[in-house]
Structures are given as structure tokens and as C-alpha cells.
């Protein structure tokens, strides 16, 4: 029996150059489209009469960029998702996921890629609803002190010594749900949320990465009333103090080995108390 | 307000050598642990009294491998997950996700890595329930004919010509839920499921990758009565026929460009009709 | 002052399907072309009159695959490199580097990607000379015993204990130069060289990875008289014995942590005594 | 017969925190060591009496960071390389290659990773000589106009139309050799060289990526008298104009597809006329 399903074109690499003035504007995106609806015939019989090809989805992304410009990625996602649901009877669910890569201006038509940090948007549209989730990934942060880890459970497999001063480093993936999908100043909202994440990370004396995660989520909600919920995934990028005693050297928080694997992984959700849950904003009907 | 959360140690790279006989046995794993439970104090106050450190989780994985051996990854996952939930009152949910890398024997104690295909298991244990999901990732398959794509929706953004003979290629990620978590012959089950996936891919004349996906899911369920549900994620690795007409050459399905991005992505679930849904087997309480 | 230079199209992903019989043959390649010659005007003045565009190089690769088939990658590389040097007066040096990805047959027109191991060829052609280097990359090997490491230099920074029984694991990148570029049975040569590498790795009691490297090189030359030189790059993929003493467990070569970084890296050349050096086979006039 | 060889520890991930004042300084490096010398016995007989273990090399890197601090990576590399050659009679050649990852200050002890651009140094020391090469990798640049490509060779495989206005984008890997290895203001030198590269890229009306490469090399040498030679590797990251005519839309340099593979690859050397060649600065005695 066929259960939930979806299909689409992933990672459409769209670069848009606004050339209306001698000072060009550059937008560099990866756009992924996923569609759902009445697709049982395609699965069971190979009848494609309800299938909008993924090639056409790709064309639509490019054509919309030319027709309407791109603008904020949340708006671009909403425009695309509404088009797919609105124009094809067989399509009743659309999700457009966008990554925007940062570039810094060098001159009127010259640019340099800046940073690993990527701005993200995930827009989901059904016949009745629309949800907008904005976010960031690849935001790598480190505190060289003001982090400890003590007072945890000890069992027969415990060897970790308590740490009263350690490095805390992570690569933030965070996403925050807008309470409503109406157009707003998406850029100001994103800038504010990102700034709150960074300020909370840098400003929290951390007794656990969980505490930092919770602080980051609550600061975002405190700063941005238009947001209802924040989800965070924080790998704990371990920095181990190197034992230099065999060489007669002290090492008081100076020389570290940055380890690759394994790594801690802390994930959590922070929601506004009065916010109604909106699972449709996040998942497809199922996740892998 | 703190919502759902979990934490753990990810990608513990465990290699186990059974040396009981001169012919060694090699097991090469990446093990990830995620735990949930009564962790609000850690988040809100930095009180770690309910936190089993991720370092201890790592130690436990290594110690269990020494104490009990590894055996089938589903059993190893169950043993670990039950330990975490059973030994710590604050921990009420545990998921152990394992990747097993394939090696081929060259001699009594010599081995060669074989294939990109990875065997996976995801075991979830709560106080009341346990679920086992087995799977595969990195299984790359290609049919050089017996694939077509016609009869789809046409709109103003359509340029794709119908194809009556094309390459169909994908990198299978699939996972299947066992109807029950009791010990069974996991290896035979996995071999059978994998063989069914491959046979369905190779044996289906495909009118759409969706049709192939559905065939793969149904063949697995038909072959393996112990399984209740199959989830598949199939990227459509596009192979575009190169236009050689400018050089006066025909190209009837002979010379292709293997493209990277964008790619189609087809995902779906196939369930046994009488199977009760088991979302807990798949997701944490929330997904990103 | 302009020094050495070269340019070309890299990573042309060519898939060729021979459909002469109902049993299709599949060839899956990444082809990179680099050309050199009289290109000062392009660099200094932007005068492209001596430049064969990289786009045309790509077209040529596809067109040659259709015209002549692919065959062995050494032959395909020679055909292409000779074409570039032979047809354009400004081009006096051509290197064609090819990776061939392995597929296993599932049926008359169905295939499965098999293994991470990639067959390589690097063909260099000048007006006067031609060199063929064949090789392999991604060949991952492990011995679970018969490896030790003792008797090394000790200085004030030494902490490593001697090991009399350890895991030895590596991912082989090796390349071997054919004494002559005349057509030969490239496939048999490659199979033999690869088999010699594997046999030497598995069959050598290793006192140092250097010793294993040297054995691998000498076995290849002993087995394959048509080869003049072997170059090997062997990362030492460290497997560290986990200390289980804190849990009251022994660990005599059973439970290991497979570490990522740092890793040892052992590189060396083994040549036949009477072989004339042929730097042109390996490097461009300069390397990065 | 054993030919050239070298061995060492690669990708030692060293993080150094200078905590002398409340405002911490962060240095984040990947250090790779390669040594050569009288190592025939290790290869041929497994006699390690001339081998300084790669584990000891790693310890030395950490211990030196604690003893002397890190400072500029060129100095750190020189100190390490001279130590290895100077302290072990069997070691007569040492190369230390360092990548430094950029971080931006957020507060007195808080930092954010900034940019994909990595500063590099490669220091080579023998008994008689020392060479210092500095460089950059991951510097991604784009001009949205002022680039053309016309006047190239046309043959029977040509299909590329001439372009009088195109995007030019690349990810710069460049390295420049210091005329002398004496201590200097490495940071000012690097800043100046990097600025010259960027200014040349942005300021050159490009008739070919080769022309841009040459301009970048010559600007660096013009700006920095202490440098003798620049080597550049510039992938041409193709941005293809999307054909929107089927949808009745013009597309005059506005909507592009950023392609992955294949890509052009342009490499070249620019040297000061009076500079003596210094192959030892770049290569080991051989390259792969």
C-alpha cells in the first residue's frame, strides 16, 4: 500500500544578477522543490498524468527569477510554492527550500564569497495553509572560556573528568518559524534572529551546551515577536587539551587538539508558550 | 518554553576484530547515540544531574563491544538502547543508529573495503516500546534501458521532450521497519530485503521513477513477511544524451553526460495494509 | 614574466553505453584534459587565437567516444591527447587524466556500482614523446595483525609505546608508468598490477608502513615486466586500541577507535634499476 | 630500487589560545609535516632506527606551540622544519605545510569562523637551504561583467558561441615564493599579496581567464618586492545563461545556472625576471 510520498527537483543552482544600475546586485541560491498530492497513479501504474516534471519545476524557478526577480528568499519561496499548488489540481502540497550564499561587494560588479554561513528558508504551502521557516546553517562559533561541564551522572563507564574551564565550539544549524506567513521585512527579521543567536552564544556562561542552546532559542524569541518557535541542532565540536606533561610543560587552556569524530550532538526546540504547534511547517507528512 | 530535545554522541567509529581463531572477523561501524528524557534542568538551569555525558555514551559503546561482541547491528543497537533507558531514571528514550561498512576477506587477517553500499540500523527504545528499522544507503543502481517518461503534465514552463528510452540511475537510501523488535535472523532479513530492492529495480520496466520506487517497496514486503513498512529516497541521477548532431554524429542512447545538479528526488513510503503506523520508529518526537 | 602554464577542462563526466547486443556494456568515466603550448598571447594580451576552448575539449571527448568507442582508458587517453597535439599548432603538450568507476553487472542492461576503488590513467603527449601511467585510487586495505612498529628514534617528544601487534590500514593511491606507450593489453596489465599490490599488502609481515610500501612497489615490478616505475601514497589510517581498563576489561587487539586526523602519510617511488627517469610522465613542467 | 620518498603526519589540528590578557587570541591551524632523508633501511628491511615516528612529529607540533607560541605560520613552519632537520641525523629534508582558518572576534573570548578563505604556508628546509611559500586557497571571486571570450580557435568540434559579456567566477588557489627565508613581516606581506590578487581580479577587463591569471600574478609581484614567483590555479566556475526564450522571456545577463562539472581549469606561473628558479620550494623531489 502506498503511503506518503513527495517528489521534486533538488539543488537548482540559480544565480541572479540585477543589472538595473551600474552597481550590480548578486543573488546566489540553491533552490529545492518538493511536491505532493494525488500521485498514486504514477507510483502504482506509471501513469504520469498528474506529474509536473521536475524539469519543469526547474524551468519555473528560473523563469520566476526573471519575471519577478528574486527578492527575499522567503517571498521567492512563497511565490513558487503557491504557483505549484495553485496551478496544478493534482498538486496539493509544495515545499520550497532555499539556501542563500553570502557574497561581499568588492566593487560595482565584483564580489567575494564571504563566510560559510548560509541563510535558509523553508516554505510550505497546502490548499489551506502556508508556513515560513527561516534559518541559518554553517554558523561556526567558539568561546575560549566561560564554559564548564560538571555535576553529571557517573556510572561504571564514566571516565570524563569534570571541566571547569573548557572551549565551547559549535556549528549552528537553526531554524525559526514565523507565526504567520504574511509578507514582512524578512531581512530585518533574519538579521535580528541571527544576531540574537550569536549574542546568546557569546553572552552565556555555559554549564552545558544544552543551556547554551536554550539561551539561544529564548533570546531569538525575546528579540523577535514575529517568531513562534526555534529549533536548534548544535554539534559539540570537541577541543581536547593536549597533555604536555611528558615534555615537562604545563597546558592551562592553551594548546588544544580539534577533534573530528565522534562529536556530541545537542538538539532542541524552544517555543513561545502561547504558540500553537505547527508540525506542517517542519516535516513533510513523514521524515526519513 | 523548552520543547522536545535530545542529545548524544554521534559517529563513534568502532572497529571490532574477533580473534578467537586464526581467521579474524572484522566489524567496522559508525555508531550514533541519541538520548531523551527529563532534561529540562540541564537546558534551563545548566543542572547536569540528569545528564549521562556523551563521553560516557561513547565509552559504553566500546565496552559493550568488548563485553558482548558486536554481532548483528540490530542486536547491538537494542542492547545499547535498552541499557541507556534501563540504567538511568532520567533517560526515557534512546535511539542508536549504526552504519556498517562492508569489507571483503583477502586472507585470514586481511581485508579490502568493498563497495559504497552501507548497511544501516536504527533502533529506538522507550520505557514501553522498541522499534527496529534496518536499511541501506549508498546502493547505486543503473538501468541503461527499459525506462521511459511520457504522458506528464505540460504547462507554459514545459520544455522537456518525452523520452521513450532513457537511462535510469539512482543511489538508493532505503529503510524498512520490522513488525516486531524480537531477535530474529537479522542478516538473512537484510540480505533478502536488499536483494528484493535490487531485483525490483532491475526487473521493472519503468514509466516513472515513482513506479520503480513503489515496485521496490512492494517487492521487499512481498519477500519479507517480518517487515511492515519500507521508506525510500531515490535521487534521480540524470544522464543527459549529448547532442552530437553538430559533429554529424548520431547518438542513439550511447554517449551521455552524467550531471550533478540539480537532480530529481523521489521519496515515498510503502506499507503493509494491516500494519499499524509506528511513527516512533522513525522520527524523534520532532524532526528538523 | 610568464612561466609554465596549462589549461583545460576538468572532470568531464562521460557515460558510454555499448548497445550493439542485448547485453549492454557500461563505461563510466571522469575525463580531464590539460593543454600547454604557445599561450603567452592569451595571458599577456588576452589574444585567444592560439586557444582551443575548454568547451571544445569537452565536445571532443564526447565525440571521440561516439566515433571510436572508449575501449581501455589508456587508449582513449592516447587518442585524445594525440589529437590535441596533432591538430593544433599552438598546442604542444597534452595530458589526459581519466578515472574509471567500477560497475558490476546485474542483468543484460542493469548495473550496480561496486567499490570505492577507481582505475586511473594519465596520458601525456608532446610532439616527441608519449607516456602512459596507469593506477588506482580508493583501494582501502587492512591487516588486523602481522604489523608491528618498534626500534624507532626516541627523543624528548616521544610518547608512542612500541607496538608488536597492531592494525595496519591504508587507502592506496598508486600509479605505475609503462616503459613504453605502445598499445598493449592494458586491462591485463592493470589487473596484474592491482593484484600484486593487494598480494604484497596482505602477504607482508610489516615492520613499518614504509616496508609495506616498498614491498608493494617491488611486487608490481616483479610481476609486470612492461612497467618501469611505481609511485605510492599510503595514508596510515590509525586504529587506536581503546583503553578498557577503567571498566575492568582487557582489550587484546579487539576493540579499536578508527581515527580521522591526523594521519600518517607515507609516499615513495620504486623504480626498475635500468629504467631511465621520465619526469614528463608524471609532472607537468611544474607542480603546485 | 627505492626512489624518492617521504613520510610524515598530516592534518594535525592545532588550536592555540593566547590567554595572557582577558582578550584571548585564537589561532586555528591544520599542520602537516613531511620528512625525508636516509630512510632506505626502513623501506627495504623494516629497520626503523632512522625513523622519527609521525606520532612524535605530532607531539612536537603541540609542544612547540606551547613553548614558543605560534605567531605567524611562516615562522612556526620554519621553527618546526629546522628542528626536524637539525635534531635528527637521518632527516635531511623537512616540509611543513600549514593552513590557517580565519576567525572574527565577537567579544573578548568569543569568535565566529569567517569565510572559506584559508591562509597557507609551505616551508621547506634542507641542510643547506630554506624556502618559504605563502598562499591562499578557497578565495571565491566573481565579476558579473567586464569579461568576454572571443577570437579563439574553431575546429570541427566547436559549438561555443563567442561571449562579449559573461560572468567570470573562480575559486583562487595561489601561492607565492618569498625570495628569501629570513624573518620578515609575514602578515603584512600576506595581506598585501592577497589584496593585489583581489584588486587584479576585480580591476581587469578580462578577455580570457588566462589574462586575469597573469594580471593577478603580475600585480602581486609589482606590489610585493619580497616575492619572487607566484603560482595560480583558477577553476573557471561556469555560469550558464538560462535560455528563457521558450517562455517568451529575454535574459540579458540576469538569470544563470551555476554549473558544477566539468569546469575549466587554468594554471600558471608568473615569475620576476631576475629570479632564480627554486623548484625545491615547491615540489618534493617528485610529485604524484
Amino acid at each position: 500500500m502506498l503511503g506518503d510520498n513527495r517528489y521534486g527537483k533538488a539543488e537548482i543552482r540559480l544565480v541572479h544578477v540585477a543589472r538595473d544600475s551600474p552597481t550590480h546586485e548578486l543573488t546566489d541560491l540553491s533552490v529545492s522543490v518538493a511536491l505532493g498530492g494525488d500521485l498514486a497513479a504514477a507510483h502504482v501504474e506509471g501513469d504520469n498524468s498528474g506529474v509536473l516534471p521536475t524539469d519543469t519545476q526547474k524551468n519555473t524557478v528560473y523563469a520566476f527569477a526573471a519575471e519577478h526577480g528574486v527578492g527575499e528568499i522567503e517571498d521567492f519561496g512563497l511565490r513558487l510554492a503557491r504557483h505549484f499548488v495553485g496551478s496544478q489540481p493534482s498538486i496539493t502540497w509544495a515545499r520550497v527550500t532555499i539556501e542563500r550564499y553570502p557574497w561581499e561587494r568588492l566593487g560595482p560588479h565584483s564580489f567575494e564569497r564571504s563566510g560559510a554561513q548560509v541563510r535558509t528558508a523553508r516554505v510550505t504551502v497546502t490548499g489551506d495553509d502556508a508556513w515560513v521557516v527561516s534559518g541559518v546553517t554553517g554558523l561556526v562559533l567558539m568561546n575560549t572560556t566561560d564554559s564548564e561541564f560538571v555535576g553529571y551522572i557517573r556510572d561504571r563507564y564514566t571516565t570524563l573528568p569534570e571541566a571547569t574551564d573548557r572551549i565551547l565550539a559549535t556549528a549552528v544549524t537553526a531554524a525559526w518559524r514565523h507565526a504567520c506567513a504574511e509578507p514582512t521585512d524578512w531581512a530585518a527579521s533574519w538579521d535580528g534572529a541571527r544576531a540574537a543567536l550569536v549574542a546568546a552564544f557569546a553572552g552565556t556562561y555555559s554549564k552545558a551546551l544544552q543551556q547554551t542552546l536554550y539561551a539561544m532559542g529564548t533570546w531569538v524569541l525575546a528579540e523577535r515577536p514575529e517568531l513562534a518557535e526555534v529549533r536548534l541542532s548544535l554539534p559539540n565540536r570537541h577541543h581536547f587539551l593536549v597533555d604536555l606533561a611528558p615534555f615537562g610543560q604545563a597546558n592551562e587552556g592553551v594548546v588544544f587538539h580539534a577533534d573530528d569524530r565522534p562529536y556530541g550532538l545537542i538538539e532542541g526546540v524552544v517555543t513561545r508558550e502561547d504558540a500553537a504547534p505547527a508540525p506542517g511547517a517542519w516535516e513533510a507528512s513523514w521524515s526519513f
Side-chain angles (χ1 to χ4, degrees), chain A residues 209-221:
Chain A
L209 186 46
Q210 280 91 336
Q211 190 187 17
T212 296
L213 179 149
Y214 184 67
M216 293 169 81
T218 51
W219 284 39
V220 169
L221 294 182

Side-chain angles (χ1 to χ4, degrees), chain A residues 181-216:
Chain A
E182 293 305 301
T184 181
D185 186 343
W186 306 109
S189 178
W190 190 85
D191 288 343
R194 183 200 172 287
L197 287 173
V198 169
F201 181 87
T204 300
Y205 183 97
S206 176
K207 296 181 172 175
L209 186 46
Q210 280 91 336
Q211 190 187 17
T212 296
L213 179 149
Y214 184 67
M216 293 169 81

Side-chain angles (χ1 to χ4, degrees), chain A residues 173-188:
Chain A
T173 296
W176 41 88
R177 176 167 59 88
H178 295 265
C180 120
E182 293 305 301
T184 181
D185 186 343
W186 306 109

Side-chain angles (χ1 to χ4, degrees), chain A residues 5-27:
Chain A
N5 60 83
R6 59 194 173 198
Y7 80 106
K9 194 69 116 194
E11 300 187 37
I12 302 162
R13 291 283 291 105
L14 162 66
V15 171
H16 181 274
V17 180
R19 317 170 60 114
D20 311 324
S21 86
T23 300
H24 292 183
E25 300 291 335
L26 175 64
T27 310

Side-chain angles (χ1 to χ4, degrees), chain A residues 195-254:
Chain A
L197 287 173
V198 169
F201 181 87
T204 300
Y205 183 97
S206 176
K207 296 181 172 175
L209 186 46
Q210 280 91 336
Q211 190 187 17
T212 296
L213 179 149
Y214 184 67
M216 293 169 81
T218 51
W219 284 39
V220 169
L221 294 182
E223 288 293 319
R224 307 304 312 179
E226 73 276 16
L227 304 179
E229 181 184 2
V230 183
R231 297 186 175 190
L232 293 126
S233 177
L234 300 184
N236 194 343
R237 293 199 168 180
H238 303 308
H239 287 71
F240 295 120
L241 205 60
V242 178
D243 178 11
L244 301 175
F247 323 127
Q249 297 172 320
N251 187 11
E252 302 200 338
V254 173

Side-chain angles (χ1 to χ4, degrees), chain A residues 95-98 120-124 131-135 175 281-283:
Chain A
R95 168 164 295 164
V96 178
T97 306
I98 304 179
T120 61
R122 179 176 4 181
V123 173
T124 311
W131 299 279
V132 177
V133 170
S134 300
W282 297 93
E283 287 118 50

